[in-house]
Amino acid sequence: MEWVRHFWNDLVMRPEGPMAFRFILQPAMALFMALRDGIKDARRGREPYWVYLRHADPVERKRAWQAGVTATARILLLGVAMDVIYQLRVLGDFGHPLETLVVAIVLGFVPYLLLRGPVTRIASRRMAAAGSSKP
């Protein structure tokens, strides 16, 4: 259980230490990508992203997860790179790959998943309202 304490301690200390800007940069990049992809979904008439993640068909659900990972690959890679630099610079080695993965997922992938669906719904409503107001 020592590794759990160490893991938690490292994660809690990170937002205040060196390279703290990544706690802003990664979610901001996730927001940008969710905006871009959510608007594309609305233009194509697709359902909000979370509908596919909850879809009963395992093939469709897997496809949705793969699309989410592909769409956020840059964000995930940015998060991994920033955490590797953090570990090398502050901790002196890259000895915590699990922490790197958790930080990248929590700061990049999760915000993307949470934001893409609402962006799609809002964009769809605005497009429908704009379409109904045309003569």
Side-chain angles (χ1 to χ4, degrees), residues 5-14 86 91 96 99:
R5 187 187 62 75
H6 184 269
F7 179 80
W8 182 252
N9 190 35
D10 280 354
L11 289 177
V12 170
M13 286 179 17
R14 289 179 184 199
Y86 168 83
L91 304 177
H96 309 287
E99 290 176 21

Side-chain angles (χ1 to χ4, degrees), residues 110-122:
V110 170
Y112 176 85
L113 289 178
L114 294 175
L115 294 169
R116 185 171 172 179
V119 167
T120 301
R121 284 193 303 279
I122 291 167

Side-chain angles (χ1 to χ4, degrees), residues 4-66:
V4 173
R5 187 187 62 75
H6 184 269
F7 179 80
W8 182 252
N9 190 35
D10 280 354
L11 289 177
V12 170
M13 286 179 17
R14 289 179 184 199
E16 299 170 1
M19 297 182 64
F21 69 94
R22 67 201 164 120
F23 285 87
I24 296 170
L25 181 62
Q26 285 178 259
M29 290 296 296
L31 172 62
F32 172 75
M33 299 301 280
L35 284 168
R36 183 192 73 170
D37 295 340
I39 291 169
K40 279 184 190 176
D41 288 346
R43 286 183 180 148
R44 293 177 183 158
R46 294 185 66 189
E47 294 285 333
Y49 190 68
W50 63 270
V51 170
Y52 293 104
L53 293 177
R54 292 184 15 198
H55 200 278
D57 180 19
V59 173
E60 190 65 30
R61 188 171 37 248
K62 182 179 177 185
R63 193 174 328 169
W65 273 104
Q66 288 172 337

Side-chain angles (χ1 to χ4, degrees), residues 64-108:
W65 273 104
Q66 288 172 337
V69 170
T70 301
T72 58
R74 287 187 199 129
I75 298 166
L76 292 170
L77 290 174
L78 173 69
V80 167
M82 291 176 77
D83 202 72
V84 167
I85 292 168
Y86 168 83
Q87 286 189 31
L88 291 174
R89 188 169 170 218
V90 175
L91 304 177
D93 68 346
F94 179 63
H96 309 287
L98 181 61
E99 290 176 21
T100 298
L101 185 61
V102 168
V103 168
I105 290 171
V106 169
L107 294 180

